[in-house]
Amino acid sequence: MIRQIIRIDEEKCNGCGLCAQACHESAIAMVDGKARLIRDDYCDGMGDCLPQCPTGAISFEEREAAAYDKEAVEANMKKKKLEEEKNAAQVEQEAVHPMGGCPGAASRQIRRTAAAAASQNGSRAFRTGSAASQNGSGALRTGFAASQEAQVSQLENWPVQIKLAPVQAPYFDGAKLLIAADCTAYACAAFHQDFIRGRVALIGCPKLDGIDYSEKLAQIIRNNDIKSVTIVRMEVPCCGGLELAAKKALQESGKFIPWQVTTISIDGRVLDY
């Protein structure tokens, strides 16, 4: 039959995914970073997706198309809901018994408060004072601990290894994501303050792990409300694998998210933002 249906100009599409989110019938999906009409009979021709497109890539056209099938849409939506519930249950199970039950890989959110930081520093100062009163070498430990009092960990999530991270977790909701080479935290003295603070951190080394992180990272970005991505790598060539994996993940996620790359030199200098 000839009827009104949407048309998507892939040349204009920037891959933001807003139209797919606005389509109540799931007629639009993100494929290879572009919005596509996946089934004519899912599109009711009402155009809820039209005002959401920031680039004007969506328009109406009259053409031969299958009639809108309400029953097929409802069946598809029911199937998607069951899949989402199954995935949510699996994520919850992995958080309790990750990687075959290792408690050290359980997903956790670390909530820090000023009081907790003060308590952490106060406890350190107490131990330092006790050590100093016991022997002369305590003076060295006193100086060391005093220099650490203002340095409180900024880590807010666990686990941090990309391989162990869940694909969905509460701390990913509205998160600024940090994808960092594991050596960067050792090279850059202010890594916690400059990069981890206010971000959810994921680390890895493609050379040592010998895997492509892009699929896992794409799942994390696709399944969560990630606001931005910061990639921090070392200046060495092998770190390019982490940067490429993160960029590939952003493309495969089908989302348009602000991102930036920062390079750290071997002697700890921040080379660029």
Side-chain angles (χ1 to χ4, degrees):
M1 63 180 296
I2 302 295
R3 71 181 183 95
Q4 179 174 276
I5 197 167
I6 65 162
R7 177 181 179 276
I8 301 174
D9 186 340
E10 290 192 9
E11 292 296 322
K12 292 182 179 180
C13 177
N14 67 0
C16 69
L18 293 176
C19 57
Q21 295 174 23
C23 181
H24 301 299
E25 290 78 25
S26 294
I28 301 174
M30 302 307 297
V31 181
D32 297 329
K34 296 287 186 178
R36 289 186 187 174
L37 177 62
I38 56 172
R39 282 184 55 161
D40 287 358
D41 59 344
Y42 282 3
C43 178
D44 60 6
M46 301 299 292
D48 289 342
C49 54
L50 216 67
Q52 302 300 323
C53 181
T55 63
I58 302 177
S59 59
F60 284 120
E61 65 177 351
E62 294 276 346
R63 65 172 175 82
E64 182 72 33
Y68 173 64
D69 190 337
K70 184 178 179 180
E71 291 183 358
V73 170
E74 290 177 349
N76 181 54
M77 297 302 291
K78 184 177 180 179
K79 179 182 176 181
K80 286 186 63 177
K81 184 178 180 180
L82 290 174
E83 289 176 351
E84 289 172 358
E85 290 175 351
K86 181 180 178 180
N87 290 336
Q90 183 178 353
V91 168
E92 183 178 354
Q93 179 67 16
E94 289 177 352
V96 178
H97 300 291
M99 303 298 291
C102 173
S107 176
R108 306 175 191 176
Q109 184 167 10
I110 306 167
R111 300 188 183 277
R112 302 186 186 279
T113 63
S119 174
Q120 178 180 341
N121 289 332
S123 175
R124 183 187 294 114
F126 175 79
R127 293 194 302 272
T128 302
S130 298
S133 66
Q134 290 174 14
N135 53 61
S137 63
L140 290 176
R141 291 196 292 274
T142 302
F144 174 77
S147 68
Q148 301 299 308
E149 286 189 19
Q151 299 180 26
V152 178
S153 174
Q154 299 297 318
L155 188 65
E156 297 182 355
N157 63 284
W158 186 268
V160 294
Q161 287 285 348
I162 297 172
K163 293 192 299 182
L164 300 179
V167 296
Q168 279 186 299
Y171 50 71
F172 283 131
D173 185 30
K176 297 177 180 178
L177 186 63
L178 170 67
I179 302 172
D182 48 17
C183 293
T184 55
Y186 291 92
C188 180
F191 193 80
H192 274 253
Q193 294 296 324
D194 291 352
F195 297 106
I196 295 183
R197 182 171 59 180
R199 295 186 176 99
V200 170
L202 296 177
I203 67 169
C205 176
K207 184 174 183 179
L208 295 180
D209 289 339
I211 60 175
D212 182 2
Y213 297 127
S214 60
E215 183 177 350
K216 178 70 171 289
L217 292 173
Q219 286 182 307
I220 291 172
I221 296 171
R222 186 184 303 117
N223 294 331
N224 300 278
D225 181 24
I226 303 297
K227 297 301 184 185
S228 66
V229 174
T230 298
I231 306 159
V232 184
R233 54 163 294 182
M234 296 295 296
E235 63 177 331
V236 295
C238 57
C239 254
L242 182 70
E243 180 180 343
L244 289 174
K247 290 179 178 178
K248 183 179 178 182
L250 284 163
Q251 293 175 340
E252 293 181 348
S253 73
K255 293 184 177 181
F256 182 74
I257 298 174
W259 60 273
Q260 64 176 9
V261 179
T262 297
T263 303
I264 307 295
S265 69
I266 294 175
D267 60 1
R269 291 174 294 116
V270 178
L271 299 180
D272 54 65
Y273 269 99

